[in-house]
C-alpha cells in the first residue's frame, strides 16, 4: 500500500516575512518672506499685514541651505502647503521633482485682538500676541478655531505616518506653528524628534519612529 501523501503547507512570500522600517518625517519651514517685518503696526494694521503675508512669496536672492537640499534629494515624497511662500520654497529645493500641494498643511490663523490704535508693535510681537489669544481664549474671528486646527494637525500627522510606513522619508514644506502642532501629534503617536533646527526660516525638524 502506498504511503499517504504528505500534507501541503503554504509558505508565505519572503517579502511578507520582512518588516519595512518606517521612513523619517521631516517638517521644514518655508524661506524668508518678502514682506518686511521692520515696521510698527496697530492691531488693525497687523490684520491687514497678515493678509498680505498669507498671499505673498519669498524675498528674492535666497539660497536654500545645503542640508535642506540634501533632505529633499533623499525624500521619497515631498509635500507643501498651498501658500505661495511654501510653494516657492518647494520650487527652490525640489529640483523639478513632484511636489504634492495640500491645503491640509497651511498655517493656523493669526487674528489679533482689538487693541487701541495708538498701541503699536512690530509684526513679530503681534504674531505672538495673536497666537496667545487664539490658543488661550479661542479668539478666531470666524476663522479656524484651535480645536479645528488640532483636528487638522492630527489628520496631517496620520497622512504623513501612512506614507512614511512604506519606508519612504517624507518631507513637508510648511509653516512654523502648524508644523509644531503636527510634531506634537507625531510625538503622541510614538515618533521621536531626532534632529531639531528650531523654527527659523529654512529650518527642519526630523522625526523617526521610536524603537
Amino acid at each position: 500500500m502506498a504511503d499517504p501523501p504528505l500534507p501541503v503547507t503554504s509558505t508565505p512570500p519572503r517579502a511578507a516575512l520582512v518588516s519595512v522600517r518606517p521612513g523619517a518625517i521631516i517638517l521644514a519651514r518655508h524661506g524668508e518672506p518678502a514682506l518686511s517685518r521692520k515696521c510698527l503696526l496697530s492691531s488693525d494694521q497687523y490684520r491687514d499685514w497678515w493678509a498680505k503675508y498669507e498671499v505673498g512669496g519669498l524675498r528674492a536672492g535666497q539660497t536654500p541651505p545645503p542640508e535642506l537640499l540634501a533632505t529633499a534629494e533623499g525624500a521619497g515624497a515631498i509635500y507643501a502647503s498651498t501658500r505661495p511662500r511654501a510653494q516657492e520654497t518647494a520650487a527652490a529645493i525640489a529640483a523639478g521633482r513632484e511636489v504634492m500641494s495640500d491645503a491640509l498643511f497651511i498655517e493656523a490663523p493669526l487674528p489679533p485682538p482689538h487693541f487701541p490704535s495708538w498701541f503699536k508693535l512690530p509684526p513679530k510681537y503681534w504674531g505672538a500676541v495673536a497666537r496667545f489669544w487664539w490658543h488661550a481664549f479661542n479668539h478666531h474671528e470666524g476663522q479656524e478655531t484651535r480645536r479645528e486646527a488640532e483636528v487638522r494637525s492630527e489628520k496631517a500627522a496620520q497622512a504623513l505616518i501612512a506614507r512614511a510606513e512604506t519606508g519612504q522619508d517624507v518631507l513637508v514644506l510648511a509653516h512654523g506653528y502648524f508644523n509644531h502642532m503636527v510634531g506634537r501629534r507625531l510625538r503622541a503617536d510614538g515618533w521621536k524628534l531626532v534632529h531639531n533646527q528650531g523654527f527659523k526660516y529654512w529650518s527642519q525638524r526630523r522625526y523617526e519612529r521610536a524603537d
Side-chain angles (χ1 to χ4, degrees):
M1 179 179 295
D3 293 333
L6 295 174
V8 177
T9 58
S10 60
T11 302
R14 183 175 179 80
L17 302 177
V18 180
S19 61
V20 176
R21 181 173 178 80
I25 297 173
I26 304 99
L27 306 178
R29 192 182 181 195
H30 55 77
E32 182 181 352
L35 189 61
S36 175
R37 291 172 176 257
K38 296 179 180 179
C39 53
L40 289 174
L41 305 171
S42 68
S43 60
D44 288 340
Q45 289 171 332
Y46 175 74
R47 189 174 287 101
D48 294 337
W49 184 93
W50 177 256
K52 294 176 182 176
Y53 184 88
E54 283 283 74
V55 298
L58 298 184
R59 179 180 60 79
Q62 297 180 70
T63 302
E67 188 174 354
L68 186 55
L69 291 170
T71 297
E73 185 177 357
I78 302 175
Y79 291 88
S81 156
T82 53
R83 297 301 190 219
R85 58 193 186 278
Q87 290 290 304
E88 292 183 16
T89 300
I93 72 164
R97 295 179 53 199
E98 179 187 9
V99 174
M100 291 168 280
S101 300
D102 197 329
L104 185 64
F105 300 107
I106 64 173
E107 183 61 292
L110 272 178
H114 292 277
F115 281 15
S117 60
W118 56 262
F119 185 85
K120 296 188 175 184
L121 292 171
K124 177 180 179 180
Y125 294 105
W126 271 124
V129 170
R131 182 62 67 214
F132 176 78
W133 248 254
W134 178 83
H135 193 276
F137 305 125
N138 198 32
H139 177 79
H140 57 83
E141 296 186 354
Q143 301 180 55
E144 185 179 44
T145 67
R146 172 186 170 184
R147 177 57 187 155
E148 289 168 342
E150 287 172 345
V151 170
R152 179 163 63 92
S153 69
E154 172 64 12
K155 183 177 179 181
Q158 292 305 316
L160 298 175
I161 289 171
R163 191 63 182 255
E165 284 180 342
T166 67
Q168 294 181 317
D169 283 359
V170 183
L171 172 61
V172 181
L173 303 164
H175 310 275
Y177 195 78
F178 193 70
N179 280 357
H180 164 70
M181 296 183 73
V182 175
R184 287 184 60 187
R185 295 312 314 158
L186 291 174
R187 292 195 302 274
D189 290 331
W191 291 71
K192 183 178 180 181
L193 178 61
V194 298
H195 181 57
N196 182 7
Q197 293 184 336
F199 297 99
K200 61 183 182 295
Y201 299 127
W202 301 106
S203 64
Q204 56 181 311
R205 294 160 65 87
R206 181 183 180 94
Y207 296 82
E208 295 179 357
R209 174 73 78 179
D211 293 331

